[in-house]
Amino acid sequence: MEDMSGHTVLIGGEIKKKDFNPEDYFDAKEAKRLDKFLQYAIVAAREAVADSKIKESDIDPYRFGVIAGAAAGGFQTIEKSYYAMLTKGPTKCSPFTIPMLICDMCAGKISMEVGAKGVNKAVVSACATSAHCIGDAFRTIQYDEADAIIAGGSEAVICMIGIGAFTAARTLSKRNDEPEKASRPYDKDRDGFVMAEGAGMLVLEELEHAKKRGAKIYAEIIGYGQTGDAYDVVAPCPDGSSAGKAMEFALKDAGIKAEDVDYINTHGTSTHLGDIAESLAIARVFGDKEKNKNLKVSSTKSSTGHMLGASGAAESVICINAINHGIVPPTINLDNLDEEVANLNYVANKALKADVNIALTNSFGFGGHNAVLIYRKYK
């Protein structure tokens, strides 16, 4: 992390240069013209497309799209550009500043990489961003407006303004002396989330189109629900009613019952209000541990930190892996369950082997944005 002297939060899920060197993926000039969030987005999309093995000859480019965004976009570019102008004058602002910082450039840059000329847009809904991007891609294919869409999100806001602003909002953990234990959803000793960075991209494809070209199908997306809290710019609706309604809409869209869901990857950021509201919403829709003994829920943000707009896509990948490998990931650092959260099976501290046929993932964002996605094992 850059010099954070004076900050009260000194921890974050930062991707170090030794693990991600931009010049391994881009030439030096191009790397300088891409904010980190764009670098992550492009590389994640490249990997998803390579894994899908989709080729230009497989698809009409006007039916190949991209729906990808970010919650914050180029915070690091904003910070560097402002500093350059402040210290050297307004003429020192890079001409690439705008395309480096705007959230929609995720979709724009990816489309140029793969030659996708179909739907091209970014959904921006704070921490629900990439879940909404995936859901909208799902709908677009259902409406027969595309055969395949790259969908997801990216984020890189670990910088002075990113950490400073979220600290001021009193959302971040200050457990600087124990960073590996700082993210602790549903634990009574939690004190906020850990900011993280990264990207997640999926290739969504119409089933018959995928089968025709012999694609490897990891799972089916079968449900999408979305609502708004209409309550507060930061705090969730305390009883979780709107979040619960989004889950109900997703179940209805999927044509399944609550008891059909085996695993829920929760939004579970490790904030006091958010964890309680989401747990109450889940219990209202699915029943608590006594009524629904089959349901497992966990927050993988306990392990990854909170990637803001990239979280929904990253957690979709986790759900799909849970389906394919029969392993429910744990909520780590859950040592003392908060008595205020609902009585659910939070898969505390240790992964659980279980048959996962259907998995649901929640994403909720500042401003009251709620997005829910449901995935099913492909048979």
Side-chain angles (χ1 to χ4, degrees), residues 129-327:
T129 290
S130 56
H132 274 129
C133 287
I134 293 168
D136 283 8
F138 173 48
R139 284 281 185 268
T140 302
I141 293 172
Q142 281 186 320
Y143 293 160
D144 195 30
E145 295 176 357
D147 293 320
I149 298 175
I150 301 166
S154 183
E155 211 73 76
V157 298
I158 297 180
C159 57
M160 291 186 70
I161 189 172
I163 296 297
F166 276 93
T167 300
R170 295 181 294 179
T171 60
L172 299 183
S173 171
K174 297 180 181 178
R175 197 183 287 253
N176 297 319
D177 56 336
E178 292 183 301
E180 71 282 359
K181 295 184 178 180
S183 183
R184 41 197 320 112
Y186 311 112
D187 188 273
K188 69 178 182 180
D189 296 321
R190 67 196 182 284
D191 68 332
F193 67 79
V194 174
M195 183 76 78
E197 58 184 17
M201 296 291 166
L202 284 72
V203 176
L204 275 67
E205 189 169 0
E206 193 276 326
L207 180 58
E208 296 305 318
H209 191 276
K211 287 165 64 177
K212 184 177 179 180
R213 67 179 187 84
K216 181 176 180 180
I217 300 170
Y218 289 96
E220 290 183 274
I221 180 169
I222 60 172
Y224 176 37
Q226 51 185 332
T227 60
D229 281 355
Y231 176 75
D232 186 84
V233 294
V234 176
C237 187
D239 64 1
S241 54
S242 291
K245 186 60 71 174
M247 287 182 254
E248 290 176 3
F249 287 157
L251 290 170
K252 182 178 180 181
D253 186 45
I256 61 174
K257 297 177 181 178
E259 54 266 33
D260 294 328
V261 175
D262 303 298
Y263 169 57
I264 296 177
N265 187 291
T266 67
H267 186 59
T269 59
S270 187
T271 60
H272 183 73
L273 295 178
D275 288 359
I276 293 170
E278 183 177 14
S279 72
L280 294 175
I282 292 170
R284 179 183 295 108
V285 176
F286 294 89
D288 64 14
K289 190 161 63 173
E290 301 306 315
K291 294 179 181 177
N292 190 342
K293 299 182 186 302
N294 176 61
L295 183 66
K296 290 89 177 171
V297 307
S298 69
S299 170
T300 49
K301 288 186 180 73
S302 59
S303 299
T304 66
H306 190 5
M307 289 177 272
L308 305 183
S311 292
E315 287 155 12
S316 289
V317 173
I318 289 169
C319 284
I320 292 166
N321 274 303
I323 288 170
N324 280 280
H325 297 287
I327 298 175

Side-chain angles (χ1 to χ4, degrees), residues 18-46:
K18 66 181 179 66
D19 299 314
F20 182 91
N21 183 352
E23 293 185 19
D24 290 340
Y25 304 95
F26 311 96
D27 65 48
K29 182 182 289 186
E30 186 182 12
K32 288 180 180 179
R33 295 175 178 179
L34 295 170
D35 188 275
K36 271 191 179 181
F37 90 100
L38 291 174
Q39 295 172 4
Y40 298 158
I42 293 167
V43 173
R46 286 177 184 173

